[in-house]
Structure formats: structure tokens, C-alpha cells
Amino acid sequence: MGEKIVPNELFFAWVAEELKQGKSVKFKVNGTSMLPLIRSEKDFVTVTPINRETSISKYDIVLFKYNDRHILHRVIGLADGNGKFRLRGDGSYFAEESCTYSDILGVVTQIYRGESTKAINPNSRTLRLYARLWHSMPGFFCRFALKVLKRILR
């Protein structure tokens, strides 16, 4: 199957519509904000739609709308009194976003390394532990580790 390149607005309009219809969507990730777990232009993710019964847990990776952009980041804080979730990419050590439940389009249920057909479960105990440790480390350590990892993963 050939690869098509379309503008982000058009692509994510299609993704949002598919998720709204209850379909899961698999696509190649573009961007380094989820390094080291998800590599830009190499890895694929499957995003599964959420519904009113779906609960969002700390350390889930979600696709959400933020300032008219679609972003794939990790939940680092559950809904507060204002109904806002705190989110941050694994590749970001300071910047955070917040969104409401209605801004979340879906949750990542599978990660694929490159062209591999073997799925990685982002909710496995190992990856949950990784997320907990990674997001509890001081910013200066993450900054250093990310510089090293970006050179290695090129």
C-alpha cells in the first residue's frame, strides 16, 4: 500500500470522523514529542475511540484537540476540579497542556515499531512503570537523557 501525504487539518478531520463513528485508526506518527517511546516518521499507533463509559487513566496516551491542533500526549494528571486533564509528551520535560474529556478523541491502544506487524501494548505493566518513572524524574535529567536518546534513535 502506497503512502499518501495530506495536510494535517484534512487528515485529522478524517481521523476524528472515523473515531466518532466508533472505528479505530492506525497512522504513522509525525513529531518528536513522544520520544523515546514513539519515534517520528517511523512508528505507527492505533487510536481507539472513547465513549461516555470510557475512563481515562493516568499515563494513558491520548489523541486530543488543543488550540485547534491535534496532539498525541500522555495523561500525567487526572481531571481536576475544573474537569481538566494535564498532559505532556514524553519528549517534553517542562511543557504541559490541559484539556477536558470532550477534547479527547481517542486513546492509543497499540504501538508498532516501524513496519512491524507485532503490536506493543502501551498499557502493559512495563510501559506503565516506564511512564511513571520517566515523568517523575527531574527536568534536567530528562533533558540530558533526551539529547542522548535523540542521537541514538536517528
Side-chain angles (χ1 to χ4, degrees):
M1 184 159 94
E3 190 172 304
K4 293 182 181 181
I5 298 174
V6 296
N8 269 357
E9 305 83 39
L10 185 61
F11 175 73
F12 282 110
W14 172 79
V15 168
E17 188 58 35
E18 292 291 297
L19 292 170
K20 198 179 292 183
Q21 292 177 18
K23 300 175 187 173
S24 293
V25 180
K26 179 180 175 183
F27 58 89
K28 187 184 281 189
V29 176
N30 183 9
T32 59
S33 67
M34 284 303 292
L35 273 174
L37 181 62
I38 302 173
R39 301 169 303 166
S40 179
E41 297 290 325
K42 295 180 181 176
D43 295 342
F44 292 80
V45 294
T46 298
V47 178
T48 302
I50 62 169
N51 57 42
R52 292 175 192 245
E53 290 82 43
T54 306
S55 64
I56 302 297
S57 300
K58 191 171 182 178
Y59 305 121
D60 280 350
I61 302 170
V62 297
L63 177 66
F64 65 103
K65 194 155 187 178
Y66 181 77
N67 290 340
D68 293 326
R69 294 178 48 224
H70 291 83
I71 302 175
L72 193 72
H73 278 176
R74 188 179 300 280
V75 175
I76 60 166
L78 297 177
D80 60 14
N82 297 328
K84 300 253 184 179
F85 291 92
R86 290 180 32 238
L87 303 111
R88 181 171 56 213
D90 290 358
S92 175
Y93 33 89
F94 294 115
E96 288 184 10
E97 301 86 21
S98 63
C99 75
T100 63
Y101 187 85
S102 62
D103 296 324
I104 298 174
L105 302 174
V107 63
V108 173
T109 54
Q110 296 172 322
I111 301 169
Y112 298 88
R113 289 275 175 242
E115 300 295 326
S116 173
T117 56
K118 184 179 178 194
I120 299 168
N121 178 0
N123 295 311
S124 69
R125 282 185 172 193
T126 304
L127 288 182
R128 287 277 179 182
L129 178 61
Y130 149 79
R132 181 175 289 147
L133 292 173
W134 184 257
H135 286 279
S136 67
M137 286 191 261
F140 71 87
F141 177 82
C142 291
R143 181 173 46 229
F144 173 75
L146 284 168
K147 283 184 180 183
V148 172
L149 287 167
K150 284 179 181 178
R151 287 184 185 259
I152 293 170
L153 295 174
R154 282 186 187 173

